[in-house]
Amino acid sequence: MAGFWGKRKREQEELAAQDADLARRAKTALVAADERVRLTSDELVFADAELGSDATNELRDAVEAVRTHLQEAFQLHQLNHDEIPDTPLELRTRNARIVQLCEWAEELLDDRTEALAERIARARRAPEIIAKVRADAARLRTHVPGARETVQRLAARYSPHALAQVENNPAEAEQLLGFAEHSASVAERRREAGQREQANMALEAATEAARRADTLLEAVETFEVEALRAESTLAAIVDDSREDLVAARTAPQVPAVTAAVAALDAALRALPAAGVNTDPFEQLSRLREANSALDAAIAKAREREARPIPPLEHVRHAIDDADRQLAVARDVIAGHRGWIGADARTRIAEAERIRVDLDRLIGTSAAAATVIDEDHREQAFAMARRTAFLASEALQLAQRDIDSSRPQDGWGQPGYGQQGYGGGRRGGGGNDLMGGILGGLVIGSLLDGMFD
């Protein structure tokens, strides 16, 4: 008994220590959250000055929401120290709520201030950024003539279609640089006029325009390098394709392979002669597609050769067998529905579902079943075999259910050890037998009537 009371005392002391620690956390969190609201309010004033009120709406709403919820936290803390005695559970619940509210407030303010931190820093560096935009624009303008010369040089080697992606880049870059310089001047004037929000928008536009101009000019040089690389790759693909055409002679000569060989040969013949303005990117893409199609056709033909396709007659016989098995199983189940359990019903339902899918695969007409294409024969054969197997299982399970439900000692007579009519589990065999046969029909007709 002394050990029991000692253990209980230790548990009470541990709980009291936890409650004291929670109370200290609640006080600390409340002070920290209140101070954070004050600091964030000051930051909001600076953010308004740097970015404008529209950009700081989310932070302003967050500060108001936090102030509202902190009022609840202060009220709970006041209840902890009023003249009305509180139970330990009441104190514990209030302090936990105070901690929860304060942590939520800190997280919300962190999220909103972090979202504005980068924009505020950018706005404070506006003079530096404006100077950089102007310097970048001046530097990039010196690259425009070189880009024009590069486009002219490339026009002598590549087709207009190939150059379409870069031929206008120098002119577009020059326009963007003019826009960047103009936007930088607008940002400077708006900032001096105290219109910070408009100044920041203009500054962002100037920075983006200069960046895009740089990308367009760099794309001209990149195109020349990539075009040379495409020509080199094209030569290797041509050699590889010619070797594939030779190798295709030993592949199974099925229609798909023959068509793929013809397509690749046509793609090779369509290549322009040396010295003609070309589009190496388009030629490379067309040749790769034809080459890949031939590889896929040969692989499929060899796989099919290694695994012979079932003859059409075998597939038709499998479908006929599945239909016979289904018909027998359906008749037995339909004639004894009152005795048929869930297993047999499940097998027949699955067999019928697969048979419907088989019709979708090969077509439902009689002619369709006689011209099943080679791509579908193997799948059709497997589906027919599966249907027949499930129908056979359904028949076996249905027969088991019928045998277990049928009286064992003749029609209309109770089996050995059973009682007469109305007695025992299966008394009155004739009535029970007819009930099993007719039950499903009666129930089925009732349901049909309900849903008609």
Side-chain angles (χ1 to χ4, degrees):
M1 184 62 70
F4 171 78
W5 290 113
K7 180 179 178 181
R8 184 175 181 81
K9 183 177 181 182
R10 286 193 301 272
E11 291 176 349
Q12 291 175 346
E13 290 174 350
E14 290 175 1
L15 185 59
Q18 293 174 2
D19 288 344
D21 180 65
L22 181 61
R24 286 191 296 270
R25 286 175 53 202
K27 292 179 182 179
T28 303
L30 193 57
V31 172
D34 188 48
E35 188 65 15
R36 180 60 190 277
V37 171
R38 186 186 65 79
L39 293 175
T40 305
S41 298
D42 294 341
E43 292 177 3
L44 180 60
V45 174
F46 290 115
D48 281 338
E50 293 290 344
L51 304 177
S53 59
D54 289 344
T56 57
N57 280 335
E58 290 188 0
L59 179 58
R60 186 178 299 103
D61 292 343
V63 170
E64 292 302 321
V66 167
R67 282 175 175 159
T68 299
H69 285 80
L70 281 186
Q71 286 299 320
E72 178 186 348
F74 280 117
Q75 290 173 2
L76 292 173
H77 187 67
Q78 177 61 35
L79 290 175
N80 287 346
H81 296 85
D82 59 14
E83 67 281 359
I84 301 175
D86 299 307
T87 65
L89 178 60
E90 290 174 335
L91 292 172
R92 190 180 308 128
T93 302
R94 290 178 193 147
N95 286 328
R97 177 62 175 166
I98 291 171
V99 171
Q100 181 187 32
L101 289 170
C102 293
E103 289 178 349
W104 168 82
E106 296 266 10
E107 291 174 1
L108 179 63
L109 295 179
D110 283 344
D111 181 66
R112 295 296 186 268
T113 53
E114 286 176 7
L116 290 177
E118 183 178 351
R119 296 181 62 183
I120 293 174
R122 185 180 181 85
R124 290 174 178 172
R125 292 175 48 241
E128 176 187 344
I129 296 174
I130 290 173
K132 185 177 184 304
V133 168
R134 287 172 172 162
D136 288 343
R139 174 179 57 81
L140 292 173
R141 280 190 182 280
T142 64
H143 296 173
V144 174
R148 286 200 173 98
E149 293 176 2
T150 300
V151 170
Q152 292 174 359
R153 184 176 67 255
L154 294 173
R157 183 177 182 87
Y158 302 109
S159 67
H161 181 269
L163 277 177
Q165 54 183 303
V166 295
E167 64 179 347
N168 294 323
N169 282 20
E172 292 177 3
E174 193 168 30
Q175 292 177 352
L176 284 169
L177 292 175
F179 180 76
E181 291 171 335
H182 174 72
S183 298
S185 298
V186 171
E188 194 172 47
R189 291 196 299 270
R190 292 290 187 272
R191 187 173 179 81
E192 291 173 354
Q195 299 172 338
R196 297 302 178 90
E197 187 170 355
Q198 297 179 7
N200 292 330
M201 292 176 59
L203 184 58
E204 290 180 5
T207 304
E208 178 63 15
R211 186 194 65 78
R212 288 180 57 193
D214 189 13
T215 301
L216 289 174
L217 294 175
E218 186 178 354
V220 175
E221 303 300 326
T222 301
F223 176 86
E224 185 172 24
V225 174
E226 292 300 325
L228 292 172
R229 185 177 298 171
E231 287 183 289
S232 176
T233 305
L234 180 63
I237 293 292
V238 167
D239 293 339
D240 184 58
S241 298
R242 287 171 178 160
E243 292 176 359
D244 286 347
L245 288 177
V246 174
R249 297 172 185 171
T250 62
Q253 298 303 304
V254 298
V257 172
T258 303
V261 167
L264 180 56
D265 185 62
L268 288 171
R269 293 177 184 276
L271 292 175
V276 178
N277 287 8
T278 62
D279 185 347
F281 302 103
E282 183 178 1
Q283 294 162 7
L284 183 59
S285 176
R286 187 182 302 119
L287 203 57
R288 274 177 174 162
E289 289 178 2
N291 197 294
S292 298
L294 178 58
D295 290 342
I298 291 175
K300 186 175 182 179
R302 285 177 175 162
E303 180 185 0
R304 181 173 293 174
E305 189 178 47
R307 188 178 60 192
I309 300 173
L312 180 58
E313 289 186 1
H314 290 189
V315 178
R316 290 169 54 193
H317 291 161
I319 294 174
D320 291 343
D321 179 56
D323 289 340
R324 282 194 298 271
Q325 295 276 11
L326 267 176
V328 172
R330 284 194 193 110
D331 289 344
V332 171
I333 292 174
H336 304 81
R337 297 197 68 86
W339 291 343
I340 304 303
D343 292 342
R345 294 171 187 265
T346 300
R347 299 299 193 283
I348 195 69
E350 180 65 8
E352 290 174 339
R353 183 191 68 78
I354 296 175
R355 186 62 183 87
V356 170
D357 290 343
L358 178 56
D359 278 342
R360 292 196 186 102
L361 180 70
I362 65 174
T364 56
S365 66
T370 63
V371 290
I372 304 172
D373 61 87
E374 293 183 351
D375 291 337
H376 293 148
R377 283 186 195 172
E378 188 173 0
Q379 185 180 359
F381 186 72
M383 294 172 72
R385 295 287 295 273
R386 180 63 177 164
T387 300
F389 175 77
L390 289 170
S392 176
E393 270 198 337
L395 181 60
Q396 294 174 14
L397 292 168
Q399 192 63 51
R400 182 198 66 185
D401 293 339
I402 294 169
D403 292 342
S404 65
S405 301
R406 178 175 292 158
Q408 301 300 315
D409 197 26
W411 181 276
Q413 298 296 326
Y416 179 78
Q418 295 178 331
Q419 299 179 14
Y421 180 80
R425 184 178 64 88
R426 294 288 180 184
N431 289 335
D432 189 52
L433 178 64
M434 294 305 295
I437 295 174
L438 299 176
L441 299 177
V442 174
I443 293 172
S445 64
L446 287 175
L447 291 177
D448 290 342
M450 291 170 62
F451 286 104
D452 279 341

